[in-house]
Amino acid sequence: MEMTPDLQTSKAKSQPQTIGIRFLRYWIGSFNGIQVFIFPVLLLNWLEALELVHVVTELLTFKIHYLPLTIFMFLAVYVLFIIAKYYVSAPHTKAEFKHFIIEFHKYLLICLLCFAILFLLAIFLKYFYGILISEKTIASVAARGLGIFAILYCHLSHSWTEPWQKLGHSYSNAYARVRIFARHHPYRFHAFNLVHLFFILLFCKAFVNWQEFFYYPIFHALGIDIKFNLVSLSNTLALSVNVILVTLAALCSSLFFIPLVWLTAQITRFLHPIKPRTYNKEPTIEHINE
């Protein structure tokens, strides 16, 4: 069963995109942002290392009572980021946008409950069997895993529905067609996902080297040194400022990651197994003799 979109069957025309929307789709949308979860060292390029170590040490020792609030703030920022990513990635109706927010929070709650169970299991094994499992390791792996999975899911979903949405189909209609395609062509579906994942990992790794050998020499030549200084955790306001600064560091990383995101998008669109089908029909010209 062939699920190639047909240009002649589209019911609506896609809306024109402004330069600002296109820019946001590569800066906030697509898979941009995943690089800081795969390679957290990228954040160190925008934060003062000594201040970061000092704040983290404070947070994990005598200011540990701020840790739950810190987790909540970063989680809130991440939720807003995912919602913004969905909002700028593809056309959608208000009902679809509300449905996405509800579904995202539902799955987020399930993930948080699973992480809580892991923490309880680690404590149980520690006290009753003497098996030591670092809670910090669980928290780090869980945070990175959740961050990577949600971004990948949003990006791959948009990549699959994009051919139909460009023809004017709604997101729900396009998503239903993708499920049909995956059911009838499982090999092509999973192969494209793996290829897509390969290019994402490849260019994320390339971005680490690109910053070192391309951006740094340019910044050094121009005398530019962009580093955010975190502040000591004296109160809740200082904690909020640090969360904002880390968020700005992640956004700066995403800003300079745009060229590689654009390149990945062009490659994956070329390799996409679903492409709009066009018909080159010659128009009929009738000559009327007066």
Side-chain angles (χ1 to χ4, degrees), residues 59-224:
L59 188 61
L60 296 179
T61 54
F62 56 90
K63 294 293 180 68
I64 198 170
H65 55 280
Y66 283 124
L67 184 59
L69 182 59
T70 304
I71 296 174
F72 174 79
M73 286 184 174
F74 277 115
L75 186 61
V77 170
Y78 179 73
V79 169
L80 292 176
F81 174 70
I82 294 297
I83 293 175
K85 182 180 290 291
Y86 176 83
Y87 185 82
V88 303
S89 291
H92 54 268
T93 62
K94 291 183 178 180
E96 290 171 343
F97 184 61
K98 293 177 181 178
H99 177 73
F100 171 79
I101 294 176
I102 294 173
E103 289 295 312
F104 176 66
H105 280 82
K106 181 175 69 176
Y107 288 112
L108 180 63
L109 178 60
I110 295 174
C111 292
L112 292 178
L113 290 176
C114 292
F115 296 153
I117 293 174
L118 287 177
F119 277 107
L120 292 176
L121 180 62
I123 295 174
F124 176 81
L125 293 176
K126 177 181 178 180
Y127 281 97
F128 289 94
Y129 295 97
I131 301 176
L132 298 179
I133 301 177
S134 175
E135 290 85 356
K136 296 178 183 178
T137 302
I138 294 177
S140 175
V141 173
R144 293 177 63 186
L146 176 62
I148 293 172
F149 176 78
I151 294 175
L152 272 180
Y153 179 79
C154 290
H155 174 62
L156 290 176
S157 297
H158 170 62
S159 297
W160 280 107
T161 58
E162 184 181 21
W164 281 291
Q165 287 187 285
K166 281 186 175 180
L167 302 180
H169 294 279
S170 66
Y171 177 80
S172 56
N173 183 282
Y175 185 76
R177 291 171 179 264
V178 171
R179 295 185 64 180
I180 295 174
F181 179 87
R183 187 164 58 247
H184 288 84
H185 305 280
Y187 174 77
R188 295 170 64 187
F189 179 78
H190 294 297
F192 178 73
N193 288 336
L194 291 176
V195 170
H196 212 142
L197 181 60
F198 168 76
F199 279 108
I200 290 175
L201 294 175
L202 176 66
F203 285 114
C204 284
K205 178 59 178 177
F207 182 58
V208 177
N209 298 326
W210 195 351
Q211 280 202 333
E212 181 178 357
F213 298 107
F214 182 73
Y215 286 135
Y216 280 174
I218 294 178
F219 288 163
H220 181 72
L222 297 176
I224 300 175

Side-chain angles (χ1 to χ4, degrees), residues 3 6 9 13 26 49 61 121 124 140-141 157 162 176 225 238 256 268-269 276:
M3 292 299 299
D6 191 340
T9 61
K13 295 182 179 179
Y26 286 110
T61 54
L121 180 62
F124 176 81
S140 175
V141 173
S157 297
E162 184 181 21
D225 185 17
F256 288 93
T268 52
R269 282 172 186 165

Side-chain angles (χ1 to χ4, degrees), residues 13-19 21-22 25 91:
K13 295 182 179 179
S14 58
Q15 298 296 326
Q17 300 177 9
T18 63
I19 296 178
I21 293 297
R22 289 180 179 271
R25 286 188 176 179

Side-chain angles (χ1 to χ4, degrees), residues 2 41 52 65 93 114 124 143 146 148 157 230-231 235 247 279:
E2 187 63 38
V41 69
L52 177 62
H65 55 280
T93 62
C114 292
F124 176 81
L146 176 62
I148 293 172
S157 297
L230 301 182
V231 298
N235 49 41
T247 303
Y279 295 99

